[in-house]
PDB file of all heavy atoms in Angstrom:
ATOM      1  N   VAL A  77       5.998  -2.145  11.374  1.00  0.00           N
ATOM      2  CA  VAL A  77       7.385  -1.935  10.998  1.00  0.00           C
ATOM      3  C   VAL A  77       7.488  -0.760   9.993  1.00  0.00           C
ATOM      4  O   VAL A  77       6.896  -0.885   9.023  1.00  0.00           O
ATOM      5  CB  VAL A  77       8.000  -3.192  10.474  1.00  0.00           C
ATOM      6  CG1 VAL A  77       9.472  -3.018  10.035  1.00  0.00           C
ATOM      7  CG2 VAL A  77       7.930  -4.329  11.417  1.00  0.00           C
ATOM      8  N   ALA A  78       8.354   0.155  10.269  1.00  0.00           N
ATOM      9  CA  ALA A  78       8.716   1.272   9.320  1.00  0.00           C
ATOM     10  C   ALA A  78      10.098   0.941   8.905  1.00  0.00           C
ATOM     11  O   ALA A  78      10.956   1.017   9.674  1.00  0.00           O
ATOM     12  CB  ALA A  78       8.609   2.626  10.108  1.00  0.00           C
ATOM     13  N   HIS A  79      10.154   0.521   7.591  1.00  0.00           N
ATOM     14  CA  HIS A  79      11.481   0.173   7.073  1.00  0.00           C
ATOM     15  C   HIS A  79      12.021   1.285   6.225  1.00  0.00           C
ATOM     16  O   HIS A  79      11.271   1.651   5.187  1.00  0.00           O
ATOM     17  CB  HIS A  79      11.470  -1.241   6.427  1.00  0.00           C
ATOM     18  CG  HIS A  79      10.585  -1.310   5.234  1.00  0.00           C
ATOM     19  ND1 HIS A  79      10.979  -1.160   3.963  1.00  0.00           N
ATOM     20  CD2 HIS A  79       9.248  -1.587   5.175  1.00  0.00           C
ATOM     21  CE1 HIS A  79      10.018  -1.293   3.128  1.00  0.00           C
ATOM     22  NE2 HIS A  79       8.882  -1.496   3.761  1.00  0.00           N
ATOM     23  N   LEU A  80      13.270   1.752   6.356  1.00  0.00           N
ATOM     24  CA  LEU A  80      13.772   2.826   5.673  1.00  0.00           C
ATOM     25  C   LEU A  80      14.934   2.277   4.814  1.00  0.00           C
ATOM     26  O   LEU A  80      15.517   1.259   4.898  1.00  0.00           O
ATOM     27  CB  LEU A  80      14.325   3.804   6.676  1.00  0.00           C
ATOM     28  CG  LEU A  80      13.346   4.285   7.768  1.00  0.00           C
ATOM     29  CD1 LEU A  80      14.113   5.336   8.625  1.00  0.00           C
ATOM     30  CD2 LEU A  80      12.163   4.958   7.057  1.00  0.00           C
ATOM     31  N   ASN A  81      15.369   3.175   3.887  1.00  0.00           N
ATOM     32  CA  ASN A  81      16.529   2.874   3.027  1.00  0.00           C
ATOM     33  C   ASN A  81      17.296   4.218   2.960  1.00  0.00           C
ATOM     34  O   ASN A  81      17.253   4.949   2.002  1.00  0.00           O
ATOM     35  CB  ASN A  81      16.101   2.458   1.656  1.00  0.00           C
ATOM     36  CG  ASN A  81      17.351   2.079   0.744  1.00  0.00           C
ATOM     37  OD1 ASN A  81      18.437   1.909   1.306  1.00  0.00           O
ATOM     38  ND2 ASN A  81      17.052   1.803  -0.473  1.00  0.00           N
ATOM     39  N   ILE A  82      17.991   4.536   4.140  1.00  0.00           N
ATOM     40  CA  ILE A  82      18.614   5.783   4.267  1.00  0.00           C
ATOM     41  C   ILE A  82      19.925   5.890   3.451  1.00  0.00           C
ATOM     42  O   ILE A  82      20.814   4.997   3.572  1.00  0.00           O
ATOM     43  CB  ILE A  82      18.916   6.088   5.728  1.00  0.00           C
ATOM     44  CG1 ILE A  82      17.686   5.953   6.593  1.00  0.00           C
ATOM     45  CG2 ILE A  82      19.772   7.356   5.888  1.00  0.00           C
ATOM     46  CD1 ILE A  82      17.932   6.087   8.076  1.00  0.00           C
ATOM     47  N   ALA A  94      15.012   8.003  12.929  1.00  0.00           N
ATOM     48  CA  ALA A  94      14.271   6.915  13.435  1.00  0.00           C
ATOM     49  C   ALA A  94      13.444   7.245  14.649  1.00  0.00           C
ATOM     50  O   ALA A  94      12.314   6.927  14.842  1.00  0.00           O
ATOM     51  CB  ALA A  94      15.200   5.760  13.868  1.00  0.00           C
ATOM     52  N   ILE A 105       3.382   2.372  14.857  1.00  0.00           N
ATOM     53  CA  ILE A 105       4.810   1.991  14.553  1.00  0.00           C
ATOM     54  C   ILE A 105       5.475   1.605  15.795  1.00  0.00           C
ATOM     55  O   ILE A 105       5.706   2.408  16.684  1.00  0.00           O
ATOM     56  CB  ILE A 105       5.531   3.080  13.744  1.00  0.00           C
ATOM     57  CG1 ILE A 105       4.808   3.393  12.493  1.00  0.00           C
ATOM     58  CG2 ILE A 105       6.929   2.711  13.446  1.00  0.00           C
ATOM     59  CD1 ILE A 105       4.718   2.281  11.438  1.00  0.00           C
ATOM     60  N   THR A 107       8.481  -0.604  15.428  1.00  0.00           N
ATOM     61  CA  THR A 107       9.861  -0.890  15.073  1.00  0.00           C
ATOM     62  C   THR A 107      10.250  -0.095  13.842  1.00  0.00           C
ATOM     63  O   THR A 107       9.487   0.047  12.890  1.00  0.00           O
ATOM     64  CB  THR A 107       9.935  -2.422  14.641  1.00  0.00           C
ATOM     65  OG1 THR A 107       9.532  -3.264  15.685  1.00  0.00           O
ATOM     66  CG2 THR A 107      11.425  -2.854  14.271  1.00  0.00           C
ATOM     67  N   VAL A 108      11.358   0.546  13.883  1.00  0.00           N
ATOM     68  CA  VAL A 108      11.960   1.340  12.809  1.00  0.00           C
ATOM     69  C   VAL A 108      13.309   0.641  12.465  1.00  0.00           C
ATOM     70  O   VAL A 108      14.158   0.495  13.311  1.00  0.00           O
ATOM     71  CB  VAL A 108      12.225   2.769  13.202  1.00  0.00           C
ATOM     72  CG1 VAL A 108      12.711   3.580  12.021  1.00  0.00           C
ATOM     73  CG2 VAL A 108      10.963   3.483  13.674  1.00  0.00           C
ATOM     74  N   ALA A 109      13.405   0.219  11.126  1.00  0.00           N
ATOM     75  CA  ALA A 109      14.540  -0.505  10.671  1.00  0.00           C
ATOM     76  C   ALA A 109      15.096   0.103   9.448  1.00  0.00           C
ATOM     77  O   ALA A 109      14.380   0.738   8.636  1.00  0.00           O
ATOM     78  CB  ALA A 109      14.170  -1.992  10.485  1.00  0.00           C
ATOM     79  N   ASN A 110      16.370   0.013   9.186  1.00  0.00           N
ATOM     80  CA  ASN A 110      16.996   0.578   8.051  1.00  0.00           C
ATOM     81  C   ASN A 110      17.703  -0.528   7.288  1.00  0.00           C
ATOM     82  O   ASN A 110      18.364  -1.345   7.856  1.00  0.00           O
ATOM     83  CB  ASN A 110      18.028   1.642   8.353  1.00  0.00           C
ATOM     84  CG  ASN A 110      18.747   2.192   7.219  1.00  0.00           C
ATOM     85  OD1 ASN A 110      18.066   2.668   6.270  1.00  0.00           O
ATOM     86  ND2 ASN A 110      20.116   2.328   7.201  1.00  0.00           N
ATOM     87  N   LYS A 111      17.543  -0.568   5.927  1.00  0.00           N
ATOM     88  CA  LYS A 111      18.178  -1.583   5.115  1.00  0.00           C
ATOM     89  C   LYS A 111      19.632  -1.400   5.118  1.00  0.00           C
ATOM     90  O   LYS A 111      20.136  -0.221   4.963  1.00  0.00           O
ATOM     91  CB  LYS A 111      17.646  -1.509   3.667  1.00  0.00           C
ATOM     92  CG  LYS A 111      18.029  -2.758   2.786  1.00  0.00           C
ATOM     93  CD  LYS A 111      17.443  -2.756   1.478  1.00  0.00           C
ATOM     94  CE  LYS A 111      18.246  -1.804   0.569  1.00  0.00           C
ATOM     95  NZ  LYS A 111      17.779  -2.039  -0.810  1.00  0.00           N
ATOM     96  N   VAL A 112      20.436  -2.400   5.339  1.00  0.00           N
ATOM     97  CA  VAL A 112      21.912  -2.367   5.391  1.00  0.00           C
ATOM     98  C   VAL A 112      22.456  -3.035   4.144  1.00  0.00           C
ATOM     99  O   VAL A 112      22.278  -4.198   3.865  1.00  0.00           O
ATOM    100  CB  VAL A 112      22.389  -3.105   6.680  1.00  0.00           C
ATOM    101  CG1 VAL A 112      23.914  -2.907   6.688  1.00  0.00           C
ATOM    102  CG2 VAL A 112      21.808  -2.412   7.909  1.00  0.00           C
ATOM    103  N   LYS A 123      18.965  -7.159   4.393  1.00  0.00           N
ATOM    104  CA  LYS A 123      19.462  -7.139   5.825  1.00  0.00           C
ATOM    105  C   LYS A 123      19.027  -5.836   6.505  1.00  0.00           C
ATOM    106  O   LYS A 123      19.097  -4.737   5.821  1.00  0.00           O
ATOM    107  CB  LYS A 123      20.899  -7.372   6.102  1.00  0.00           C
ATOM    108  CG  LYS A 123      21.335  -8.822   5.630  1.00  0.00           C
ATOM    109  CD  LYS A 123      22.879  -8.896   5.861  1.00  0.00           C
ATOM    110  CE  LYS A 123      23.287 -10.339   5.493  1.00  0.00           C
ATOM    111  NZ  LYS A 123      24.804 -10.470   5.747  1.00  0.00           N
ATOM    112  N   PHE A 124      18.422  -5.833   7.682  1.00  0.00           N
ATOM    113  CA  PHE A 124      17.969  -4.687   8.407  1.00  0.00           C
ATOM    114  C   PHE A 124      18.681  -4.501   9.687  1.00  0.00           C
ATOM    115  O   PHE A 124      19.113  -5.399  10.445  1.00  0.00           O
ATOM    116  CB  PHE A 124      16.549  -4.660   8.621  1.00  0.00           C
ATOM    117  CG  PHE A 124      15.715  -4.657   7.366  1.00  0.00           C
ATOM    118  CD1 PHE A 124      15.231  -5.774   6.734  1.00  0.00           C
ATOM    119  CD2 PHE A 124      15.372  -3.363   6.853  1.00  0.00           C
ATOM    120  CE1 PHE A 124      14.411  -5.640   5.625  1.00  0.00           C
ATOM    121  CE2 PHE A 124      14.587  -3.291   5.738  1.00  0.00           C
ATOM    122  CZ  PHE A 124      14.125  -4.405   5.006  1.00  0.00           C
ATOM    123  N   GLU A 125      18.802  -3.115   9.997  1.00  0.00           N
ATOM    124  CA  GLU A 125      19.395  -2.718  11.368  1.00  0.00           C
ATOM    125  C   GLU A 125      18.227  -2.045  12.081  1.00  0.00           C
ATOM    126  O   GLU A 125      17.565  -1.187  11.540  1.00  0.00           O
ATOM    127  CB  GLU A 125      20.547  -1.740  11.131  1.00  0.00           C
ATOM    128  CG  GLU A 125      21.054  -1.207  12.510  1.00  0.00           C
ATOM    129  CD  GLU A 125      22.022  -0.003  12.307  1.00  0.00           C
ATOM    130  OE1 GLU A 125      22.145   0.476  11.204  1.00  0.00           O
ATOM    131  OE2 GLU A 125      22.688   0.426  13.266  1.00  0.00           O
ATOM    132  N   ILE A 126      17.935  -2.532  13.316  1.00  0.00           N
ATOM    133  CA  ILE A 126      16.871  -1.965  14.125  1.00  0.00           C
ATOM    134  C   ILE A 126      17.383  -0.661  14.776  1.00  0.00           C
ATOM    135  O   ILE A 126      18.370  -0.622  15.457  1.00  0.00           O
ATOM    136  CB  ILE A 126      16.425  -2.875  15.230  1.00  0.00           C
ATOM    137  CG1 ILE A 126      16.034  -4.232  14.667  1.00  0.00           C
ATOM    138  CG2 ILE A 126      15.289  -2.290  16.078  1.00  0.00           C
ATOM    139  CD1 ILE A 126      14.959  -4.175  13.704  1.00  0.00           C
ATOM    140  N   LEU A 127      16.705   0.500  14.420  1.00  0.00           N
ATOM    141  CA  LEU A 127      17.152   1.843  14.808  1.00  0.00           C
ATOM    142  C   LEU A 127      16.298   2.298  16.035  1.00  0.00           C
ATOM    143  O   LEU A 127      16.770   3.061  16.768  1.00  0.00           O
ATOM    144  CB  LEU A 127      16.944   2.797  13.689  1.00  0.00           C
ATOM    145  CG  LEU A 127      17.892   2.611  12.454  1.00  0.00           C
ATOM    146  CD1 LEU A 127      17.576   3.658  11.365  1.00  0.00           C
ATOM    147  CD2 LEU A 127      19.271   2.555  12.763  1.00  0.00           C
ATOM    148  N   ALA A 128      15.023   1.809  16.109  1.00  0.00           N
ATOM    149  CA  ALA A 128      14.236   2.227  17.334  1.00  0.00           C
ATOM    150  C   ALA A 128      13.130   1.192  17.449  1.00  0.00           C
ATOM    151  O   ALA A 128      12.766   0.476  16.570  1.00  0.00           O
ATOM    152  CB  ALA A 128      13.558   3.617  16.993  1.00  0.00           C
ATOM    153  N   GLY A 129      12.680   1.068  18.755  1.00  0.00           N
ATOM    154  CA  GLY A 129      11.568   0.128  19.014  1.00  0.00           C
ATOM    155  C   GLY A 129      12.073  -1.307  19.241  1.00  0.00           C
ATOM    156  O   GLY A 129      13.362  -1.561  19.475  1.00  0.00           O
ATOM    157  N   LYS A 130      11.136  -2.231  19.242  1.00  0.00           N
ATOM    158  CA  LYS A 130      11.411  -3.654  19.560  1.00  0.00           C
ATOM    159  C   LYS A 130      11.995  -4.349  18.307  1.00  0.00           C
ATOM    160  O   LYS A 130      11.709  -4.046  17.239  1.00  0.00           O
ATOM    161  CB  LYS A 130      10.164  -4.269  20.064  1.00  0.00           C
ATOM    162  CG  LYS A 130       8.970  -4.364  19.004  1.00  0.00           C
ATOM    163  CD  LYS A 130       7.814  -5.015  19.632  1.00  0.00           C
ATOM    164  CE  LYS A 130       6.681  -5.100  18.606  1.00  0.00           C
ATOM    165  NZ  LYS A 130       5.446  -5.709  19.221  1.00  0.00           N
ATOM    166  N   ASP A 132      11.394  -6.866  16.364  1.00  0.00           N
ATOM    167  CA  ASP A 132      10.378  -7.759  15.911  1.00  0.00           C
ATOM    168  C   ASP A 132       9.999  -7.443  14.397  1.00  0.00           C
ATOM    169  O   ASP A 132       9.314  -6.420  14.200  1.00  0.00           O
ATOM    170  CB  ASP A 132       9.211  -7.680  16.834  1.00  0.00           C
ATOM    171  CG  ASP A 132       8.048  -8.718  16.400  1.00  0.00           C
ATOM    172  OD1 ASP A 132       8.311  -9.503  15.476  1.00  0.00           O
ATOM    173  OD2 ASP A 132       6.897  -8.531  16.836  1.00  0.00           O
ATOM    174  N   MET A 133      10.521  -8.223  13.514  1.00  0.00           N
ATOM    175  CA  MET A 133      10.247  -8.059  12.100  1.00  0.00           C
ATOM    176  C   MET A 133       9.106  -8.855  11.495  1.00  0.00           C
ATOM    177  O   MET A 133       8.817  -8.754  10.382  1.00  0.00           O
ATOM    178  CB  MET A 133      11.476  -8.327  11.361  1.00  0.00           C
ATOM    179  CG  MET A 133      12.719  -7.474  11.745  1.00  0.00           C
ATOM    180  SD  MET A 133      12.507  -5.716  11.341  1.00  0.00           S
ATOM    181  CE  MET A 133      12.854  -5.674   9.643  1.00  0.00           C
ATOM    182  N   TYR A 148      10.230  -9.655   7.799  1.00  0.00           N
ATOM    183  CA  TYR A 148      11.166  -8.856   6.939  1.00  0.00           C
ATOM    184  C   TYR A 148      12.552  -9.457   6.960  1.00  0.00           C
ATOM    185  O   TYR A 148      13.345  -9.230   6.011  1.00  0.00           O
ATOM    186  CB  TYR A 148      11.189  -7.488   7.390  1.00  0.00           C
ATOM    187  CG  TYR A 148      10.039  -6.575   6.728  1.00  0.00           C
ATOM    188  CD1 TYR A 148       8.997  -6.158   7.539  1.00  0.00           C
ATOM    189  CD2 TYR A 148      10.139  -6.180   5.467  1.00  0.00           C
ATOM    190  CE1 TYR A 148       8.064  -5.353   7.026  1.00  0.00           C
ATOM    191  CE2 TYR A 148       9.169  -5.354   4.927  1.00  0.00           C
ATOM    192  CZ  TYR A 148       8.074  -5.003   5.689  1.00  0.00           C
ATOM    193  OH  TYR A 148       7.027  -4.236   5.073  1.00  0.00           O
TER     194      TYR A 148
END
Side-chain angles (χ1 to χ4, degrees):
V77 179
H79 61 95
L80 309 176
N81 188 9
I82 302 176
I105 297 298
T107 302
V108 181
N110 181 50
K111 191 177 81 168
V112 179
K123 294 182 179 179
F124 289 96
E125 175 190 9
I126 305 299
L127 299 180
K130 61 183 180 179
D132 180 12
M133 299 294 281
Y148 275 107

